[in-house]
Amino acid sequence: YILVSPGSATLIVSGTRTFTAQGYDAYGNSISSLNYTWSTAIGSVSPTTGTRTTFTAGSESVVGTLTANYGTISGVAEITITTGGLHHIVITPPTATTTVDGTVSFTAQGYDQFNQPVSGLTYTWYTVVGSVSPTQGATTTFTAGTRSLIGTLTVTAGSITTIATITINQGTIASIVVSPATVSLQLGYTQIFAGSGYDQYGNYIPNLTYNWSVTIGTISPIIGGTTTFTAGMTDGVGTLT
């Protein structure tokens, strides 16, 4: 039989460890001058023959074996490969769009340099364009603030930081401002008016189409972002809506 020493080992990805092989007869007497062949499926060995080899772990966190063969006899060591140190963090989703007061859930996962997940991390979340709850953990819920803008959500674990981009759009229309608000015209004269819509927090909402009406004079068009008012030929006070 063959004994591989050490009989088990734990390495990080790309880590190295030296192993030796020793053959014995049926009575436990060591046999010298044997040339062993080394093999593994979870990394690499150098040299591939001899009584000693250096194992280099692969890029995946797995449990596997290192085998020393001589003829039909084999000796095996069990090797556990764990992830390396934190290299980068991935936020899901990396970008998001919501409205004022809207919510979006985010998840963070750290990886080593070989994109193997790293467990046991403490993530801290931060933003200035809304709020997050909880502020620590692998997942958080972002609640948008009251301003329409583009901002960021930051997650940190140790010294590693990653940012997600968040677009906060306006809410539903809550008020309309007509400009100018008042005007005095001579008979038959014209004035252009424009409508501006705002949500409940005063964020301007672009590209709205308004329906216009008037109690005095005429307007054209009656649908659009702006309209032209033409005063009638009779004095009076009225409203444009």
Side-chain angles (χ1 to χ4, degrees):
Y1 61 96
I2 300 171
L3 290 182
V4 177
S5 181
S8 63
T10 299
L11 303 172
I12 63 170
V13 289
S14 296
T16 61
R17 184 70 182 269
T18 298
F19 291 84
T20 60
Q22 177 62 61
Y24 297 87
D25 65 18
Y27 299 100
N29 299 301
S30 61
I31 303 174
S32 60
S33 303
L34 297 180
N35 194 35
Y36 306 98
T37 300
W38 299 89
S39 62
T40 185
I42 58 171
S44 61
V45 289
S46 180
T48 57
T49 59
T51 59
R52 179 186 300 266
T53 192
T54 298
F55 169 85
T56 300
S59 60
E60 296 184 3
S61 55
V62 295
V63 177
T65 58
L66 170 67
T67 302
N69 288 288
Y70 182 81
T72 60
I73 309 300
S74 298
V76 174
E78 182 178 276
I79 300 176
T80 300
I81 302 175
T82 62
T83 55
L86 179 63
H87 179 264
H88 62 279
I89 302 171
V90 174
I91 298 179
T92 304
T95 62
T97 299
T98 187
T99 59
V100 289
D101 287 337
T103 61
V104 182
S105 294
F106 290 87
T107 300
Q109 175 61 61
Y111 295 88
D112 66 14
Q113 67 269 38
F114 298 101
N115 285 325
Q116 294 298 306
V118 179
S119 60
L121 299 175
T122 298
Y123 302 97
T124 301
W125 301 87
Y126 173 76
T127 185
V128 297
V129 296
S131 61
V132 288
S133 181
T135 57
Q136 287 191 331
T139 62
T140 194
T141 298
F142 167 84
T143 300
T146 60
R147 309 308 301 170
S148 59
L149 45 73
I150 297 176
T152 59
L153 172 66
T154 301
V155 64
T156 300
S159 61
I160 306 299
T161 296
T162 299
I163 293 174
T165 300
I166 302 175
T167 300
I168 303 175
N169 291 328
Q170 307 86 355
T172 58
I173 188 168
S175 63
I176 300 172
V177 174
V178 176
S179 298
T182 62
V183 67
S184 296
L185 296 175
Q186 295 181 9
L187 300 178
Y189 276 54
T190 62
Q191 173 70 51
I192 297 175
F193 289 86
S196 299
Y198 298 87
D199 67 15
Q200 69 270 37
Y201 297 109
N203 297 297
Y204 171 69
I205 306 174
N207 304 319
L208 295 178
T209 299
Y210 306 99
N211 294 309
W212 298 88
S213 61
V214 70
T215 62
I216 187 172
T218 61
I219 52 173
S220 181
I222 60 173
I223 299 176
T226 63
T227 192
T228 299
F229 169 80
T230 302
M233 302 309 294
T234 304
D235 290 344
V237 177
T239 59
L240 173 70
T241 302

